[in-house]
Amino acid sequence: MSDYKGLSLEGKRALVFGGTSGLGKSIAFGFAQAGADVAAVSRRGGEVEKTAAEIRALGRRSVEATADVTSRSDIQSAINLVVAQLGGIDILVNSAGTTKRVPSLEMADEDWDRILDTNLKGTWLACQMVGRVMKEQGKGRIINISSLGGLVGNYEATAYCASKGAVVLLTRCLAAEWARYGIAVNALAPGVFETPLNVNIVNEPGRKSAILTRTPMRRFGHLDEIQGAAIFLASDSASFVTGEILSVDGGFLAAGIGDRVVNA
């Protein structure tokens, strides 16, 4: 039996924005199962309460905090509550996000602003504000959620891809600047997972076929398949890892010209 504990999060305190649904909720549960106390934050108070109860049922402490990530005051209130109740923040995950499929020539300013404010500004605000806590502690792990859409273009998803591409460079800039403070900043670039945010978009017949054709594993990801990558980046096993973008995509980025195209 191995005594290896490099992937344990025992004693760690995690704050997950966007932690009550989709990938964020799966990551929050993964952290709790790995030993961390977890505050799963979102705008929906009922979901926050439900998720906190589920985390406590796993034997971990939790905090019930609601926040809109586009609001600096909301974020600060959540941080203050987590620090007061858990004693600090060792891990930050920025998973709050939004999207809208629309032809770029028809995109309204309000849709562009909403997507960029949530996906990019919200990530930046949380990084900056929690980063101050982590600097005082002398350590911390930040995991931003980018996307394949931050690395390759997606059809009729210009604002989303622009926001997620910016998250990639935000991650790398902060990693280079904050390493001196003991803060590691990395990002996950999930492939296509069915979530409440995208379920209708990814299951459009033509779009679904195009995605699966390009994905060597020929399927969408399951929500629990994001947990291992997040736990790794949050754990002591990743102590010399910063500024990296870890794709969890079923081989999508590796595919190039897939076999279905070659054999067509």
Side-chain angles (χ1 to χ4, degrees):
M1 185 178 202
S2 174
D3 292 326
Y4 180 70
K5 300 186 185 303
L7 293 175
S8 171
L9 300 182
E10 196 74 36
K12 305 293 186 182
R13 301 151 299 185
L15 170 56
V16 182
F17 285 107
T20 64
S21 67
L23 293 172
K25 185 171 184 177
S26 181
I27 290 169
F29 283 151
F31 284 172
Q33 290 165 347
D37 298 322
V38 184
V41 178
S42 75
R43 295 177 299 174
R44 299 172 295 169
E47 291 301 313
V48 168
E49 292 177 8
K50 176 183 176 183
T51 303
E54 291 170 336
I55 290 170
R56 293 184 184 114
L58 295 173
R60 308 301 172 192
R61 293 185 298 166
S62 190
V63 175
E64 296 173 19
T66 59
D68 180 337
V69 297
T70 67
S71 166
R72 185 178 287 274
S73 61
D74 276 14
I75 293 172
Q76 190 62 60
S77 293
I79 291 170
N80 292 346
L81 192 61
V82 173
V83 171
Q85 295 192 18
L86 298 184
I89 302 171
D90 302 297
I91 304 160
L92 167 68
V93 177
N94 287 308
S95 187
T98 189
T99 189
K100 182 177 182 179
R101 179 178 175 181
V102 59
S104 298
L105 294 177
E106 299 173 13
M107 172 163 280
D109 288 348
E110 54 265 29
D111 287 327
W112 175 273
D113 291 343
R114 176 178 55 83
I115 293 168
L116 269 291
D117 281 351
T118 301
N119 297 356
L120 177 57
K121 182 182 177 182
T123 297
W124 155 244
L125 290 176
C127 283
Q128 184 191 51
M129 297 169 76
V130 176
R132 291 168 178 159
V133 174
M134 292 179 170
K135 179 183 176 183
E136 289 298 314
Q137 295 173 166
K139 62 178 181 177
R141 303 292 172 84
I142 296 175
I143 303 170
N144 296 323
I145 305 299
S146 181
S147 168
L148 290 185
L151 302 171
V152 297
N154 285 345
Y155 184 69
E156 295 184 345
T158 301
Y160 179 79
C161 291
S163 69
K164 292 299 188 177
V167 167
V168 168
L169 268 298
L170 173 66
T171 297
R172 289 175 172 156
C173 288
L174 296 182
E177 185 177 344
W178 292 354
R180 71 190 72 182
Y181 305 134
I183 303 171
V185 188
N186 294 288
L188 294 173
V192 181
F193 291 72
E194 283 187 326
T195 71
L197 177 65
N198 69 9
V199 62
N200 292 329
I201 296 174
V202 301
N203 279 295
E204 294 173 4
R207 201 175 189 91
K208 181 175 183 178
S209 175
I211 294 167
L212 296 181
T213 297
R214 181 72 183 273
T215 304
M217 288 190 177
R218 299 292 186 255
R219 64 176 177 84
F220 296 154
H222 305 305
L223 286 176
D224 59 359
E225 291 179 310
I226 200 71
Q227 293 174 348
I231 290 169
F232 165 68
L233 291 177
S235 74
D236 291 343
S237 289
S239 58
F240 199 54
V241 179
T242 196
E244 292 300 318
I245 315 301
L246 177 55
S247 297
V248 185
D249 67 355
F252 186 97
L253 288 176
I257 299 176
D259 66 324
R260 292 192 183 183
V261 176
V262 172
N263 294 324

